[in-house]
Amino acid sequence: QSVLTQPPSVSAAPGQKVTISCSGSSSNIGNNYVSWYQQLPGTAPKLLIYENNKRPSGIPDRFSGSKSGTSATLDIAGLQTGDEADYYCGTWDNTLSGFVFGTGTKVTVL
Amino acid sequence: QITLKESGPTLVKPTQTLTLTCTFSGFSLKTSGVGVGWIRQPPGKALEWLALVYWNDDKRYSPSLKTRLTISKDPFKNQVVLTMTNMDPVDTATYYCAHVSPVCFHHWGQGTLVTVSS
């Protein structure tokens, strides 16, 4: 069982905004940077957000990340059909002394 | 341009040892702050971090798999090797290697599906 909890699924119409939450604890999110990964069907994960809210080169600003206390959030604005994918949060856990991924969230564009 | 590619057997028998190699380009494992990690994903399930090794040979392992895993690097060959002992059908998964800097997986390989079956 993952120590980072995400909603199994979220959905919205094209052009709308979705928010994906990632809940952890003081041993992980509360004291470490959070990253977010997008996994399109049948492909390898891709980094979307690192250090809580930074986007790698080439990632549209429709994707934004934030962190507050022991939770993190990924927002996807202006939803597109190409955004249908699984999304994972991740961070270091000081107690486990290892990296942990969230349970994953499937985004569906209605 | 950073690229990584996993290689190894696609089928292993229960109790056997799995050896996977990650061959990378576009970065050096002699650079401070850089590492390579391994992550797996059983069919239809979530990502699971396995291990990582840094430029200074600092190695970290998943606590739940620590006794079965060994990670090593050869910075001159631009390769990182992961071995997992005593393979079981529940270890059937796609195994990915990824560039780490410093605690984030910036670039991923395409993954390799490993099936454990007799």
Side-chain angles (χ1 to χ4, degrees):
Chain A
Q1 292 291 70
S2 176
V3 299
L4 303 181
T5 303
Q6 300 178 232
S9 64
V10 297
S11 61
Q16 298 298 303
K17 172 183 170 182
V18 293
T19 296
I20 302 171
S21 61
C22 177
S23 178
S25 68
S26 58
S27 71
N28 43 66
I29 291 177
N31 284 284
N32 293 291
Y33 285 128
V34 176
S35 49
W36 288 91
Y37 304 86
Q38 176 194 59
Q39 187 175 31
L40 296 169
T43 70
K46 178 175 77 172
L47 179 66
L48 274 185
I49 298 288
Y50 68 101
E51 292 182 7
N52 301 334
N53 54 19
K54 297 179 181 177
R55 285 185 306 276
S57 173
I59 301 300
D61 60 6
R62 302 188 296 107
F63 296 91
S64 61
S66 62
K67 188 183 95 167
S68 178
T70 60
S71 293
T73 298
L74 174 70
D75 288 324
I76 309 174
L79 202 61
Q80 300 176 1
T81 55
D83 297 332
E84 285 203 332
D86 293 321
Y87 293 82
Y88 295 90
C89 59
T91 187
W92 191 260
D93 189 289
N94 297 331
T95 299
L96 297 175
S97 193
F99 196 88
V100 288
F101 286 102
T103 50
T105 299
K106 183 176 183 62
V107 169
T108 300
V109 181
L110 301 172
Chain B
Q1 181 191 2
I2 290 177
T3 63
L4 305 97
K5 188 171 184 178
E6 307 84 355
S7 59
T10 58
L11 178 66
V12 297
K13 290 180 167 50
T15 75
Q16 286 187 335
T17 294
L18 171 68
T19 299
L20 294 173
T21 301
C22 176
T23 303
F24 58 86
S25 63
F27 68 95
S28 172
L29 254 183
K30 294 181 246 183
T31 303
S32 177
V34 171
V36 170
W38 285 93
I39 304 100
R40 72 177 179 180
Q41 185 174 38
K45 295 189 177 181
L47 301 171
E48 178 185 19
W49 171 72
L50 300 177
L52 61 84
V53 59
Y54 286 106
W55 86 101
N56 59 358
D57 212 34
D58 181 12
K59 299 172 183 176
R60 304 298 178 99
Y61 296 98
S62 165
S64 62
L65 294 166
K66 185 174 184 177
T67 59
R68 299 173 54 203
L69 295 173
T70 303
I71 191 169
S72 62
K73 63 177 175 63
D74 185 337
F76 300 97
K77 288 185 178 178
N78 281 357
Q79 290 182 332
V80 170
V81 175
L82 180 76
T83 62
M84 180 180 290
T85 61
N86 195 24
M87 293 292 285
D88 183 272
V90 299
D91 296 314
T92 293
T94 296
Y95 288 75
Y96 298 98
C97 64
H99 164 265
V100 177
S101 177
V103 189
C104 174
F105 301 102
H106 282 261
H107 303 274
W108 296 62
Q110 64 188 27
T112 185
L113 175 61
V114 178
T115 301
V116 184
S117 174
S118 55

